[in-house]
Amino acid sequence: MLKYHFDWSIVTSGKYFDWLVSGLKITLELSSVSIVLAFLLGLLIAVMRMSHIKPIRFIASAYLEFFRNTPLLVQIFFWYFGSYKILPTAVNDWLNSTNFEFAAAVIALTIYTSAFIAEDIRSGILSIPKEQMEAARSAGFSFLRSMQYIILPQAVRITVPPLVNQFLNLAKNSSLAMTIGVMELTYQARQVESYTFKGFEAFTAATLVYLVISVSITWAVHVYDRRVLNPQKAG
Amino acid sequence: MIEFNGVHKWFKKLHVLNDINLHVKPGEVVVVCGPSGSGKSTLIRTINQLEPINEGTLLVDGMNLSDKKTDINKLRAEIGFVFQQFNLYPHLSVLSNITLAPIKIRNTPKAQAQQQAMALLERVGLAEKRDAYPTQLSGGQQQRVAIARALAMKPRIMLFDEPTSALDPEMIGEVLDVMQKLAKSGMTMVVVTHEMGFAREVAHRVVFMDQGQILEVAPPEQFFLHPQHERAQQFLKQLLSPMH
């Protein structure tokens, strides 16, 4: 016989419900800030990879290989436990007075994910016919302006499906931030479990919330794609 | 307006431009023809430095293209370029294709740029297509939009690189028509084309190229009736009666 007594009420109302909600808020903040930053940084790295100046290309490639090929958890630990040690004491005091674990998680998630996003966008750029760049350059646009107005808008449009994957990965990876004490959703679910021993309920709730977040991201990008990026496809 | 002086260019070992000397005067329409692989596309692409030259000097609108101080982006903004494959921006509507460069490069206010774009679309007969996307247009329509896009920058020179070669025969006329009107308006034009009817009616001079060299430069009536160079004679014979 099953000895476990389900008590779903702990995750639908009361104190523990509030904990989960506060965790959800942090997860949403962490994910959305990191998604925006990772996308922008990914664009930058992708364009640097296409530069005709060799050192710039090299820096971008090195960045990409380094952050793509090391575990995210190690990177999180590095930024949280390692990076500040080489900073002056005054900066350290200031960091300790702020929400440093949140900042370290944003930095790690942003940098890690930007490497993958850069690769996706680069393959998008490579699939744009080179005549588009020629058309832009012959109109008088500089290399960067051509990228900005003509190449990247097209590259991002065809990169939407892999980008959605990266956004989803980032949202799910944000759960690793609990390891450095960011009180996000997984952290709070763990807390609820510790206080109530209702692990099944707590983590089922967390699972469902992650599912809703992921589905929402997919849906939001899809709507944006159809309404703004590719309105000609919508009809 | 455009001055080639002893210009050479190599692709690896291939000598694609061999001692090019050619002066194009303001308001002049020059048609460049020759067999494929003769270097005519490369020639026209050097004028806005889509292809850099290796030797000699090339002056365009008073600017020396070999001079590092020449602002190539500024020069290109003064030169309209029309491609064989149109190369419209597929993510932008027809109107935005035309207004993008004036707004971003010339800082023309959006409303004014749109007004000018509409005037150009009227001129090429496509005003009703303002909100269409390039993929929704026929080849001839796309090329007319591409010409309007180039004209939106109020260029001092227009370059056409085989503008009708990718078109179905029934669409060639509509594009040549636009180009002819443009030539009549006094635009300086260099046109790479096999459309000898256009050359005969519109060109001031015809340039014949083969194997990277300019073999003949002559007014069209002279070039078509009495071509001097043997290879020009062969080329014309083949072009005018391809079955023989």
Side-chain angles (χ1 to χ4, degrees):
Chain A
M1 272 300 283
L2 196 63
K3 293 258 178 63
Y4 191 76
H5 296 283
F6 290 103
D7 181 5
W8 292 102
S9 68
I10 61 150
V11 293
T12 55
S13 60
K15 182 169 81 172
Y16 302 121
F17 172 78
D18 293 342
W19 287 7
L20 291 176
V21 169
S22 79
L24 170 64
K25 275 187 196 152
I26 304 275
T27 289
L28 290 179
E29 279 171 30
L30 183 59
S31 301
S32 50
V33 170
S34 303
I35 281 176
V36 171
L37 294 179
F39 178 67
L40 295 176
L41 195 56
L43 279 179
L44 178 69
I45 301 294
V47 171
M48 284 172 69
R49 288 263 278 160
M50 310 304 290
S51 168
H52 43 266
I53 303 165
K54 216 173 170 185
I56 293 183
R57 271 207 313 274
F58 176 79
I59 291 169
S61 303
Y63 174 97
L64 210 132
E65 295 305 339
F66 188 83
F67 289 108
R68 210 167 49 144
N69 293 313
T70 47
L72 174 58
L73 188 57
V74 174
Q75 291 183 31
I76 290 175
F77 284 165
F78 173 80
W79 293 112
Y80 186 62
F81 296 116
S83 66
Y84 69 90
K85 305 239 167 172
I86 57 167
L87 298 173
T89 324
V91 180
N92 267 315
D93 291 344
W94 176 77
L95 282 177
N96 286 330
S97 71
T98 63
N99 194 350
F100 182 51
E101 55 280 354
F102 185 83
V106 166
I107 292 170
L109 284 169
T110 296
I111 290 180
Y112 178 78
T113 314
S114 72
F116 291 90
I117 289 179
E119 265 309 77
D120 289 337
I121 292 176
R122 191 176 88 102
S123 46
I125 293 174
L126 288 175
S127 70
I128 305 298
K130 70 172 190 346
E131 287 79 9
Q132 287 291 311
M133 182 53 106
E134 284 187 350
R137 295 308 300 270
S138 58
F141 288 107
S142 67
F143 173 79
L144 286 178
R145 295 279 169 196
S146 301
M147 278 287 175
Q148 182 184 355
Y149 297 123
I150 289 111
I151 307 299
L152 286 180
Q154 294 182 56
V156 169
R157 278 168 173 77
I158 57 173
T159 315
V160 164
L163 281 180
V164 170
N165 276 338
Q166 302 305 349
F167 294 168
L168 294 181
N169 281 339
L170 191 150
K172 291 178 290 180
N173 286 339
S174 72
S175 58
L176 288 176
M178 74 167 286
T179 57
I180 54 170
V182 178
M183 294 159 80
E184 46 70 69
L185 184 56
T186 310
Y187 180 99
Q188 294 293 10
R190 181 91 180 75
Q191 286 290 95
V192 172
E193 193 272 337
S194 307
Y195 276 75
T196 62
F197 300 108
K198 293 290 176 196
F200 191 91
E201 291 85 339
F203 286 107
T204 300
T207 302
L208 290 177
V209 172
Y210 277 114
L211 195 62
V212 170
I213 292 173
S214 294
V215 171
S216 306
I217 290 173
T218 307
W219 175 80
V221 176
H222 178 79
V223 168
Y224 185 69
D225 184 32
R226 287 296 146 117
R227 296 249 171 96
V228 183
L229 292 179
N230 291 301
Q232 71 273 35
K233 267 200 281 178
Chain B
M1 198 78 176
I2 305 169
E3 284 185 37
F4 287 87
N5 293 312
V7 167
H8 290 263
K9 178 172 179 63
W10 288 267
F11 284 135
K12 301 261 170 70
K13 278 185 184 158
L14 191 67
H15 205 165
V16 280
L17 293 180
N18 185 351
D19 193 24
I20 301 293
N21 293 284
L22 179 69
H23 293 202
V24 179
K25 296 188 281 283
E28 195 178 19
V29 178
V30 171
V31 163
V32 182
C33 63
S36 60
S38 59
K40 51 197 194 304
S41 275
T42 309
L43 177 86
I44 199 171
R45 287 161 63 88
T46 59
I47 299 174
N48 71 350
Q49 227 187 32
L50 281 179
E51 302 286 354
I53 62 171
N54 300 126
E55 230 180 272
T57 58
L58 174 50
L59 299 175
V60 179
D61 203 11
M63 293 197 246
N64 185 347
L65 289 198
S66 315
D67 189 343
K68 285 227 156 49
K69 273 177 265 166
T70 299
D71 182 346
I72 190 65
N73 294 326
K74 204 172 160 212
L75 178 67
R76 281 174 175 153
E78 304 293 335
I79 304 174
F81 198 102
V82 176
F83 297 85
Q84 184 178 354
Q85 297 291 347
F86 336 125
N87 299 344
L88 293 177
Y89 310 133
H91 62 299
L92 299 177
S93 68
V94 163
L95 194 68
S96 303
N97 259 276
I98 301 174
T99 57
L100 183 69
I103 292 173
K104 301 296 182 190
I105 296 176
R106 297 256 194 261
N107 295 319
T108 310
K110 192 171 174 191
Q112 194 188 334
Q114 287 181 338
Q115 218 173 1
Q116 289 166 357
M118 283 314 294
L120 286 166
L121 280 176
E122 299 273 356
R123 204 164 139 192
V124 300
L126 288 170
E128 79 282 5
K129 298 289 186 188
R130 54 171 288 170
D131 295 319
Y133 283 87
T135 49
Q136 299 165 330
L137 302 181
S138 72
Q141 290 171 333
Q142 289 191 52
Q143 194 61 299
R144 284 185 281 156
V145 172
I147 294 172
R149 176 177 71 175
L151 290 174
M153 291 295 279
K154 302 195 173 76
R156 297 162 56 78
I157 300 169
M158 282 287 284
L159 307 174
F160 295 82
D161 187 6
E162 304 209 31
T164 58
S165 302
L167 297 179
D168 292 334
E170 71 269 23
M171 294 170 182
I172 292 176
E174 64 195 50
V175 172
L176 291 180
D177 208 42
V178 169
M179 290 168 60
Q180 186 160 2
K181 281 186 196 141
L182 186 60
K184 294 260 155 65
S185 75
M187 176 67 77
T188 308
M189 289 165 62
V190 179
V191 184
V192 173
T193 185
H194 289 138
E195 293 299 326
M196 291 302 126
F198 175 82
R200 208 171 305 192
E201 280 193 39
V202 181
H204 298 110
R205 284 189 296 163
V206 177
V207 171
F208 176 73
M209 286 186 76
D210 193 19
Q211 296 181 346
Q213 289 176 299
I214 293 181
L215 296 183
E216 192 158 342
V217 181
E221 57 275 18
Q222 192 183 324
F223 177 76
F224 288 111
L225 294 177
H226 309 290
Q228 301 297 306
H229 202 282
E230 190 193 337
R231 267 182 275 174
Q233 290 163 5
Q234 274 170 12
F235 173 76
L236 283 174
K237 205 191 261 177
Q238 270 169 9
L239 200 69
L240 299 175
S241 53
M243 302 304 277
H244 299 99

